[in-house]
Amino acid sequence: MKKVAILLIVIVLFPIISYSQNIEDLEFISPFHDGVSAIKKGSQWAFINAEGAIVVNFRDDLVETKSVDGSYPVFNNDRCLIKQKIEGIPYYGYIDKSGTTSVTPQFLNATNFNNNSAIALKLIKVDLGENGLVGKQVYIYKYFETIIDLSGNIKTVLTEEETIGLIPKNFKTPLAITSKFISEILIATKSKDNNLWSLKKID
């Protein structure tokens, strides 16, 4: 009888002990968005589910979003913004809730997803040919605002190309995004010349 009681305790309590998780010394705990909550420890963020289990481990590349509750990373449409510096320049991409990179960092700036779409600044490299004096290829860089899908593919181009020129290695401040969602199918874009707005309907 004693052995049966011990066996029952092991069977009942072991799963509870195994799956319970205490997370201590947190500096911030966000409200839940898209089924997960962001938690901060030091300079790193992680995500937990509704049961308190960590679903995305602590990392330092998650992008914070400002809200009335504070500034913290968020998931929308199963995507969270990440930032990676390449040759000193920050590029933006996305991860999914497993922590896997779903869109490789490649945009000069990007928004959170809304109704399975996001706004991103797409960078393009234009080959100007060879410089005869130094014998090297010469490039300039341009960008334009786009709407992307969950895989990072361009769905719609929102603005005309803007020339950056040669991107310096200290290009640290993200370029501003001038477009915004005002409904699930309407995008408003502000002109850089006269600050007037235009509307575009998307599918």
Side-chain angles (χ1 to χ4, degrees), residues 23-28 39-46 58:
I23 308 171
E24 300 178 347
D25 301 323
L26 298 175
E27 297 169 24
F28 190 90
I39 57 175
K40 184 179 183 182
K41 184 180 287 189
S43 61
Q44 296 188 324
W45 290 91
F58 287 97

Side-chain angles (χ1 to χ4, degrees), residues 97-113:
K97 285 181 188 164
S98 70
T100 302
T101 300
S102 56
V103 179
T104 304
Q106 59 188 279
F107 303 108
L108 290 178
N109 204 347
T111 69
N112 292 310
F113 272 88

Side-chain angles (χ1 to χ4, degrees), residues 78-137:
D78 195 36
R79 296 291 183 271
C80 177
L81 272 168
I82 57 172
K83 179 171 65 176
Q84 178 184 358
K85 281 194 174 182
I86 304 171
E87 296 183 353
I89 302 168
Y91 291 90
Y92 293 80
Y94 300 86
I95 60 169
D96 61 25
K97 285 181 188 164
S98 70
T100 302
T101 300
S102 56
V103 179
T104 304
Q106 59 188 279
F107 303 108
L108 290 178
N109 204 347
T111 69
N112 292 310
F113 272 88
N114 176 51
N115 194 33
N116 298 320
S117 296
I119 300 171
L121 298 184
K122 178 65 177 177
L123 181 69
I124 56 174
K125 186 178 182 181
V126 182
D127 186 353
L128 297 181
E130 185 176 306
N131 184 324
L133 294 176
V134 295
K136 291 184 178 180
Q137 293 296 115

Side-chain angles (χ1 to χ4, degrees), residues 1 3 45 79 92 117 136 139 144 151 168 175 187 190:
M1 190 70 176
K3 288 183 179 179
W45 290 91
R79 296 291 183 271
Y92 293 80
S117 296
K136 291 184 178 180
Y139 303 93
F144 46 90
S151 298
L175 291 169
I187 299 285
K190 181 184 280 189

